[in-house]
Amino acid sequence: MNNRVSVIVTCYNHGMYVEQCLRSIFNQTIQEIDLLVINDGSTDDSDNIITSVLSESPFHETHYIKQENSGICVTRNLGLDWMQGQKNRNEFLLFVDSDNYLNSDHLERLMDTAISQEADIVYGNLRDPETDEYVVIAHDYALDSLMIGNYIDNCSLIRQNIIGSVRYDVVLNRKKLVDYDFILRLIINQDAKPFYCPQADLNYRVLGNSISKHDDKRYYYEVYLYVLGKYWSTLQDAVKNAMLENFDMMIQQNDMLNQQNDTLNNQNDILNNQNQGLKDSNLKLEKRIIDLEYEKTSILNSKSYRIGNLLIKTGKYLTHPSLFKPYISRKILALKLKIKSWPTLKGLFLKPIRNQGRKVNNYLNPKRLLIYVIYENQSQLQTYKLIFLASLAKLSDEALIVVNGDLSSEDIRKLSQFGQVECRDNSGYDTAAFKYGIEWLGQEKISQFDELLLVNDTNVGPVSDLQDVFGKMAEKRLDFWGISYGEPQPDFTGFNPYQTIPVHLQSYFLVIERSLLKQASFWNYWRNLTDTDSRNKAIGKHETVFTKYFEDLGFKHGAVSDNNHDSAMYIHPLTMIQDYDVPIVKYTAFANDSDDKFAWQGLKRETEIPALLTYIKEETDYPMSVIDGIMSDIKHKHVTPHILIIDGVENAIPQCTRYRVTNKAEQLRSFGQDVWVVNHSAFKIGYAEHASKIIIYRCGYSEQLAELIHLAKKYHKPIYYDVDDLVIDTKYTDQLSYTQNLSPMEKLGYDAGVKSYRDLLALCDGAITTTQILKLELQNYQSNVLLNRNLASQQLVAISNKSAKDYSIETETVKIAYFSGSITHNENFELIKPAVIQILQKYPFVELHLVGHIDIPKELSAFKNQLVFHDFVDWQVLPSMIAEIDINLAPLVDSVFNRAKSEIKWIEAALVKVPTLASQIGAFSEMIQDGETGILVSDVLWFEKLEELVKSRACRQEIGEKAYDFVMKNCVTDAHQDELIDWVLNSD
């Protein structure tokens, strides 16, 4: 041996840096160097640069090898083989990555230390030359500390004779910790002596695409535990201590994240406090606004305007810091979900044990048991299910076929040729069927097999050799595997115990190896799995849980395809076959046979189905007659059409949603229609794919709804806009005293909301509205307008009948009532206030009942003993409150908005047989038969008309009962025929 050094430089696409690296080696103060450069298939200009620079090499032994890209472990092993094949073996070895470079005395410092300390490995620090900061500051060697984490870089000076047959582990090729694993094996297996040289700093670049920079803790710990697992049997205590130290560090990191979380929460609290301060400041402003609101038209008092005003509020609060609160909350939630996705400490600790546990698995010639679950919704068993079952049965030693529901005796006979057939109730989805099959077979039976296959009947195939798939997965040495992974996402089921949906093997195809089958945890999992009687329960309790549950117990899983992006099995089936070797097509993927099918799902995608059909026909031996049958079944699948109602109010104003959405749906159902109701915020375009007609209630324009209208018209689905107010044009809303008092910015926001309603109305095929006046106005914007008055629901009728006024009970007091909000400066109450005061003065036995938040006008303070106040009550309680009064007052100032108001107040009073005095305008004039079913009053006759009813109990009873009879015949949902129903029943 001599004191020469073999320097091996590895390069892959480092054309920017390799020249600096090589020249730093040329310039070493020690020149006893043999140099080898290996180009690992670079695709940049590295080859030209290396060739040019090496022509200037000062070293007699200078060699250059080019190869196809093979990865760092294979490349370095090639270098080791070259080194050991040299005729004159050198004393030392130094690996250098081509993106790094050496100070001129780097080798000299390392060699002096190696000789003086009789060291086998000499290492230094890592310094980033771009930032002039240390990436790693190493320290004196101790095995315990090195097993906790690496601080010895691969660019260390190593005595050649200590290497022997040790090579880089190709299992780690293109992964993390290849240096760590190599150095550890030299120290532990070869008794190499490391020594720290603090004077030696390696110029170490941290590049964006560097493997060492990938900040995936889960991935890091998987590799780390693989490396430590090699010493589990020989250095168990040291491995345990190292793992515990790492767990402590993870806990500390978790604590830091919790502190960050606390900081975010504190910021959240600060913003809440700021928000509260703003709210307090706004209270004074709001009090002033309340005063102004008394002058608004009754469109505000009816609350129907609140929907349009939401846009104004949005614009107003954009300048408020409180809007940062949702942002902070989202960040906190994202942080918590990220922490939940981390490997558990228990799982990390158990992984080395599970690695050893896989020795029991028979990957070469396993004895397989198949549980195949079938649910058939057609008259006979579909052929594709038999074909797939037959292909699985060839690979299995035994099979149990579990049928959810019933099959004909002929179908059961067909299935019986492949294994035992067991029929069960169709409950719990395939999850419950798998559980049934596992329990029916029992632990003792299943433990006799090497692999358990859990497969359902939603797979079409195979389109390639299943045996090859099983062989490929056997090479991965897993505890369980599947065909594909599902994407991580928020928990839409409401049942996932992790409160988020993690990456998970999709449950339509799972293979369980013996290493997991023999664990009590596997049997406890199925024993404790209960109640999957809804799709969300089956997904939330099992499909999205199984993978992480056993991963957290240290078990290793994998999939034929790691591509879980964009629901690839359903959207990109051909890509999955061609690029990811997936042997099947999901049945439902065939339904996405056009781009419009994706559009109905709210997606912009290009269908692969035509190309897939061609591929299956030309490239596989799968029978096309079966595929043609599947496509025909999908095309002709019977779907019950429905009427879709999209609610833009979403119960923010309960009366609006109740009358225009819930009651409308009830009316339509009374004519045998299937009706779906969905809130606008929860709406998905797919809800409308099979709708026969679509009704949009008070939604503003959005791209989603515009796309819905485009699709609806393309597929001849009539789509109508339901509106029960005149907030569709600023020519109406500009007349409001409310809008006249808005700031320019608020007015701009309000008008934008009005325009948004009008724009969506214009896109629709027609409109639906509540009164004749509204219908006439809307005909200026839509030629097709249907009159669909507000109707009482069957529930309201039933409640009202129980509360109806009993005229056999006589009292001296006469109760008149005004059901509204605050009445101060309310122009409608102002209309009748003089008459009411006269009545209270003239008839001391009259009580005025005011319902809602009431500020008593000064003029009424003299009659405080005759005033009774009520808070707003729920609509289900309201009938009993109305029944307690004798006369219902419904004044309206004559305006374009009030003429468009509906007759709800009169209907609700009539249902409990209470008479109504109403202004002689709009819907009241349309519906009330004056003197018969109510009293219509001109503005100047309120006192006279009210006095007549106050004086005549008989007249009140007669009008109340006639109003009740009329409303029950003409104003309830059940079988009420109107223009809406005519359109539904008679349109194509």
Side-chain angles (χ1 to χ4, degrees), residues 45 193 286 386 484 635 794 815 841 851 986:
D45 58 351
K193 176 185 176 182
E286 287 174 359
L386 288 169
S484 59
K635 182 178 180 180
Q794 292 302 299
K815 302 173 184 178
Q841 286 176 330
V851 182
N986 300 322

Side-chain angles (χ1 to χ4, degrees), residues 51-185:
T51 302
S52 175
V53 175
L54 287 186
S55 67
E56 305 174 30
S57 172
F59 311 127
H60 176 70
E61 293 288 341
T62 299
H63 303 270
Y64 179 35
I65 298 174
K66 292 186 288 184
Q67 66 179 22
E68 292 186 1
N69 182 251
S70 303
I72 191 63
C73 291
V74 174
T75 302
R76 287 180 182 165
N77 285 342
L78 176 63
L80 291 174
D81 293 341
W82 168 83
M83 176 198 70
Q84 293 186 345
Q86 290 293 95
K87 194 169 188 180
N88 296 313
R89 296 281 292 275
N90 294 331
E91 179 72 16
F92 297 103
L93 164 69
L94 183 76
F95 275 112
V96 182
D97 293 336
S98 57
D99 55 336
N100 302 330
Y101 66 93
L102 312 178
N103 296 326
S104 61
D105 61 350
H106 188 77
L107 260 176
E108 183 179 0
R109 289 178 182 273
L110 294 177
M111 188 177 291
D112 287 347
T113 302
I115 294 170
S116 64
Q117 300 297 327
E118 297 183 351
D120 299 312
I121 302 172
V122 182
Y123 59 96
N125 307 309
L126 307 182
R127 184 184 64 85
D128 188 343
E130 308 297 337
T131 63
D132 199 27
E133 295 179 352
Y134 281 101
V135 179
V136 174
I137 299 178
H139 51 77
D140 290 340
Y141 163 76
L143 180 59
D144 288 345
S145 64
L146 187 64
M147 293 188 76
I148 292 170
N150 190 31
Y151 48 83
I152 301 179
D153 186 68
N154 193 71
C155 189
S156 300
L157 191 69
I158 303 172
R159 287 189 190 272
Q160 287 198 32
N161 62 5
I162 205 70
I163 296 173
S165 62
V166 175
R167 293 294 183 268
Y168 287 87
D169 187 349
V170 292
V171 172
L172 297 176
N173 202 28
R174 307 183 195 277
K175 296 182 180 179
K176 285 178 175 282
L177 304 183
V178 293
D179 306 352
Y180 182 47
D181 176 71
F182 182 71
I183 296 294
L184 263 182
R185 282 191 289 143

Side-chain angles (χ1 to χ4, degrees), residues 475-487:
E475 292 175 359
K476 296 186 177 183
R477 299 298 194 261
L478 304 168
D479 295 301
F480 62 103
W481 58 273
I483 296 291
S484 59
Y485 283 109
E487 300 170 78

Side-chain angles (χ1 to χ4, degrees), residues 643 660 664 667-668 671 693 695 720 722 767-776 778-779 783-789 791 926 970 975-987:
I643 297 172
R660 298 314 298 163
K664 189 193 310 295
Q667 178 192 10
L668 290 164
F671 284 89
K693 295 173 178 62
I695 299 171
Y720 273 52
D722 191 308
I768 302 170
T769 196
T770 52
T771 70
Q772 192 64 42
I773 296 295
L774 265 175
K775 178 177 179 178
L776 292 173
L778 285 171
Q779 284 172 341
S783 57
N784 300 316
V785 183
L786 306 176
L787 180 60
N788 172 234
R789 292 188 177 277
L791 302 171
E926 296 170 21
N970 300 284
H976 179 81
Q977 186 98 15
D978 59 12
E979 293 176 6
L980 170 68
I981 299 301
D982 291 340
W983 170 65
V984 168
L985 297 181
N986 300 322
S987 62

